Amino acid sequence: DQQVKQNSPSLSVQEGRISILNCDYTNSMFDYFLWYKKYPAEGPTFLISISSIKDKNEDGRFTVFLNKSAKHLSLHIVPSQPGDSAVYFCAAIGSRLTFGEGTQLTVNP
Amino acid sequence: EAQVTQNPRYLITVTGKKLTVTCSQNMNHEYMSWYRQDPGLGLRQIYYSMNVEVTDKGDVPEGYKVSRKEKRNFPLILESPSPNQTSLYFCASSVLVPHNEQFFGPGTRLTVL
């Protein structure tokens, strides 16, 4: 039972445009959400997080939005850069950290 | 440099031959965890440890063992590896519980023939 789902395995955008990565969850007990970025041959690295008491958190070019009623969160990257090309994992915390399947983002120059 | 190290980075073995993947962190973190990454399934937690001598099962613990005798080390043991354990494995650590940012090791690519 996949409690955290990233329905888009891949996303391709042009440099300078906005990238929007989506994540849906089913467990209403999740109280904290995170995004991790992973480059090939490296471990995931933490990118940005949001508590369930908030609906938005911004850090530079990265903004995470949380819609609790829809059990949906999204990561916006503006403007997108070629160096942002990586796999992005959404994760949620209830009693444990649960990851989604990941979305491969490719930013084309 | 603050880091999580894993060894080996790559391993090819045969069914039934016991192996250990080591994990060490130098950040004095209480919480450590093992994950496996498989295509289409994301990262799934195998085991985690809240502190020395305290370990617990994650989502996919079957076929794995762990130990936490020292705070910095959290080895993953496969007593009798099988081909369905072929995967990419990550160790991670964080301060206290996983609400804090987790730091991941570089990964171990395991192939069981």
Side-chain angles (χ1 to χ4, degrees):
Chain A
D1 177 27
Q2 191 74 17
Q3 296 187 61
V4 178
K5 284 199 70 62
Q6 295 176 254
N7 290 311
S8 297
S10 63
L11 175 67
S12 182
V13 300
Q14 285 299 119
E15 181 178 6
R17 299 289 186 98
I18 184 172
S19 296
I20 300 177
L21 296 101
N22 294 302
C23 178
D24 296 297
Y25 63 95
T26 57
N27 189 342
S28 57
M29 299 302 291
F30 288 144
D31 62 356
Y32 202 76
F33 302 89
L34 309 95
W35 284 93
Y36 282 81
K37 178 169 73 173
K38 183 183 178 306
Y39 292 118
E42 296 183 11
T45 54
F46 170 76
L47 188 57
I48 192 169
S49 63
I50 187 168
S51 166
S52 61
I53 63 173
K54 295 187 174 183
D55 55 17
K56 177 182 175 181
N57 188 27
E58 191 172 353
D59 183 2
R61 296 186 297 114
F62 302 91
T63 303
V64 56
F65 295 92
L66 176 62
N67 182 335
K68 281 194 296 182
S69 62
K71 293 191 176 68
H72 177 84
L73 68 156
S74 61
L75 174 68
H76 292 211
I77 306 173
V78 182
S80 301
Q81 300 173 353
D84 295 329
S85 297
V87 176
Y88 289 78
F89 289 101
C90 165
I93 297 179
S95 58
R96 286 201 297 271
L97 184 61
T98 302
F99 284 87
E101 304 94 326
T103 297
Q104 171 71 57
L105 172 66
T106 302
V107 181
N108 301 301
Chain B
E1 180 190 354
Q3 60 182 347
V4 178
T5 56
Q6 295 178 228
N7 282 291
R9 294 289 312 276
Y10 302 91
L11 179 60
I12 300 174
T13 190
V14 294
T15 298
K17 186 176 182 181
K18 180 179 179 180
L19 67 92
T20 298
V21 183
T22 64
C23 173
S24 182
Q25 51 94 3
N26 62 1
M27 295 168 280
N28 202 37
H29 285 165
E30 287 82 7
Y31 185 92
M32 297 186 74
S33 182
W34 276 102
Y35 298 87
R36 58 179 288 173
Q37 182 189 357
D38 301 290
L41 297 175
L43 290 156
R44 293 180 293 166
Q45 190 177 54
I46 303 170
Y47 269 94
Y48 65 96
S49 169
M50 303 284 278
N51 213 326
V52 176
E53 302 292 359
V54 179
T55 63
D56 211 342
K57 296 177 181 179
D59 299 312
V60 288
E62 293 76 23
Y64 304 94
K65 284 176 56 177
V66 292
S67 69
R68 188 91 183 272
K69 294 186 172 60
E70 306 165 281
K71 197 171 188 178
R72 61 183 292 128
N73 295 322
F74 190 45
L76 179 69
I77 303 154
L78 285 72
E79 295 270 4
S80 182
S82 62
N84 65 12
Q85 292 178 298
T86 293
S87 187
L88 179 58
Y89 292 87
F90 291 100
C91 180
S93 73
S94 66
V95 174
L96 296 174
V97 294
H99 284 75
N100 297 289
E101 172 189 351
Q102 287 203 35
F103 292 83
F104 283 81
T108 296
R109 172 74 68 182
L110 172 65
T111 301
V112 183
L113 302 174

